[in-house]
Amino acid sequence: MNFMIKLKKLLWIDAFAGLSVGGAVLVLKDLVQPYLQLPNSLLTSCAVIALCYAVYAFHLVLRKAQSVRWVRVLIYGNGAYAIFCLGLLWYFFDKASWWGRGYLLLDSVGVGTLALVEWKVFTQGFKN
């Protein structure tokens, strides 16, 4: 499969994942906050960050020509956010419920895995 086709598919996944997770957390944060035992402001911030990544990924998908720098920014941003979520997990470990810890861990693993896969496809595409 062509490198650009693979990359576009990953960008679509990134965009829809950010949109769905960010939208769901933003809409349901008041409902799930007592179960997660995480601050409402933290849930709002995580949702807004996910929505910003979604907008940026949609922007990259809709561009005619892909810039190496623009895609690299998304990959590094995803990696940084995954590490940030692990830091939040560590900071809120005693305060959050098991559900809250699971949310932060899944957010970190999901975004981190996406960053690794995007990086792998990205670097392989420029080796050829």
Side-chain angles (χ1 to χ4, degrees):
M1 187 182 294
N2 183 345
F3 154 70
M4 287 307 292
I5 294 171
K6 283 183 186 178
L7 186 60
K8 285 229 184 229
K9 285 184 179 182
L10 283 171
L11 292 173
W12 276 113
I13 291 169
D14 201 344
F16 280 113
L19 182 64
S20 59
V21 170
V25 171
L26 200 58
V27 169
L28 300 173
K29 72 180 183 307
D30 293 328
L31 181 67
V32 299
Q33 191 276 332
Y35 299 104
L36 301 179
Q37 295 176 359
L38 292 168
N40 222 355
S41 59
L42 175 70
L43 295 174
T44 302
S45 299
C46 288
V48 169
I49 290 169
L51 291 172
C52 287
Y53 279 117
V55 168
Y56 188 73
F58 276 125
H59 166 73
L60 291 177
V61 167
L62 298 176
R63 286 176 55 95
K64 297 260 186 231
Q66 294 300 327
S67 166
V68 172
R69 183 179 62 224
W70 289 71
V71 174
R72 202 175 278 157
V73 166
L74 179 68
I75 295 169
Y76 290 154
N78 280 344
Y81 183 69
I83 293 168
F84 176 69
C85 285
L86 287 177
L88 290 174
L89 175 63
W90 178 78
Y91 183 79
F92 287 105
F93 195 82
D94 291 339
K95 300 169 188 92
S97 69
W98 283 99
W99 290 106
R101 293 175 198 155
Y103 164 73
L104 291 173
L105 184 61
L106 283 175
D107 208 6
S108 177
V109 169
V111 174
T113 300
L114 196 52
L116 287 173
V117 171
E118 286 171 343
W119 181 254
K120 183 178 176 183
V121 169
F122 182 73
T123 55
Q124 285 178 351
F126 288 103
K127 285 181 185 175
N128 298 332

